[in-house]
Each structure stands twice: as C-alpha cells, then as structure tokens.
Amino acid sequence: MLSKTIGSKLFELRKQKSWSQEQTADYLCISRSAYQRIETGEGFSWANNLEKICEVFEIQPEELLKSSNLVIGNIGTNHGIGYAEVVNQLSDKLIEQFEQRLKEKDELINLLKQKS
C-alpha cells in the first residue's frame, strides 16, 4: 500500500511539472523502467532514491510519505494512516531490503569461496 501511495504521488508531481517518465528518470539518475516501477508501486526501490526524489521534486520526505488526508500534528486520524505508522512501515521495508542484500552478499561470498 505504501509503495502504491508514493507511486501515485510521484505520478502527480511529475505531471505537475509536465515531465515525461524518461526526463524524471534522468533527473533521478536511474533508468526509465526503474522509475516506471517506482511510479506504479512495484517494490520499494523508491526508498533507495528517497533523498534524490525529494531534491528533484523540491519536497520534504514527510510530504511524500504521509497519506493525502493526514495533517502533520494530527497523527492517527480516521482519514488515513498515521505519520508514525508510515515511518514504521518505511523503516521495516528498509530493514527488510537491507537484510535481503546482506543475504545475497553472503551467498555470493560462499559461491566465490567454492570456486576458489
């Protein structure tokens, strides 16, 4: 759900600037297909590019992460998930991605050791 929300916001931000996906991807220094996946909410690769996304669109991270109807300082409203919950979801996903990368690194190291 979080990736879909962020993808939707990025779509709107991009349209407001009248940019193509290709232009936006160039500004973010990623491929168009990678940007397209972010915008369609596939996976959590946006988290790896959060700082650059905020810089390019001139927004603060919390503007991208909060639900549309949430007002900062009004955490836990009935209109959307609370800001704290969004941050927790983001943290959990970043940790999950980091752990997956560590696992892949360990597997690669073991494979290279076996070939030696």
Side-chain angles (χ1 to χ4, degrees):
M1 180 176 152
L2 183 59
S3 288
K4 296 262 186 216
T5 300
I6 289 172
S8 196
K9 287 184 181 188
L10 290 177
F11 173 81
E12 291 301 323
L13 289 166
R14 178 175 64 81
K15 289 300 181 183
Q16 287 174 14
K17 293 189 176 278
S18 301
W19 293 345
S20 67
Q21 284 187 342
E22 185 73 38
Q23 287 172 302
T24 307
D26 287 345
Y27 296 142
L28 296 172
C29 301
I30 60 176
S31 69
R32 188 204 53 81
S33 61
Y35 178 76
Q36 181 182 17
R37 286 190 300 275
I38 292 171
E39 202 171 272
T40 58
E42 297 174 32
F44 287 86
S45 61
W46 57 266
N48 298 328
N49 299 289
L50 183 60
E51 187 176 339
K52 188 70 174 174
I53 288 169
C54 292
E55 178 185 318
V56 166
F57 286 110
E58 300 173 334
I59 59 171
Q60 294 298 313
E62 54 271 13
E63 293 177 68
L64 188 61
L65 298 174
K66 68 182 178 182
S67 64
S68 300
N69 298 321
L70 178 67
V71 176
I72 298 298
N74 195 14
I75 296 173
T77 68
N78 293 329
H79 301 291
I81 61 176
Y83 181 72
E85 186 176 341
V86 170
V87 171
N88 286 338
Q89 287 178 3
L90 174 61
S91 297
D92 290 345
K93 291 301 175 184
L94 289 173
I95 290 169
E96 185 179 303
Q97 284 183 346
F98 184 71
E99 288 173 344
Q100 179 61 35
R101 288 185 179 170
L102 287 175
K103 182 180 174 184
E104 290 169 359
K105 174 204 57 103
D106 291 341
E107 290 171 357
L108 180 60
I109 289 172
N110 287 333
L111 179 66
L112 292 172
K113 283 181 179 179
Q114 290 174 2
K115 289 185 177 184
S116 297

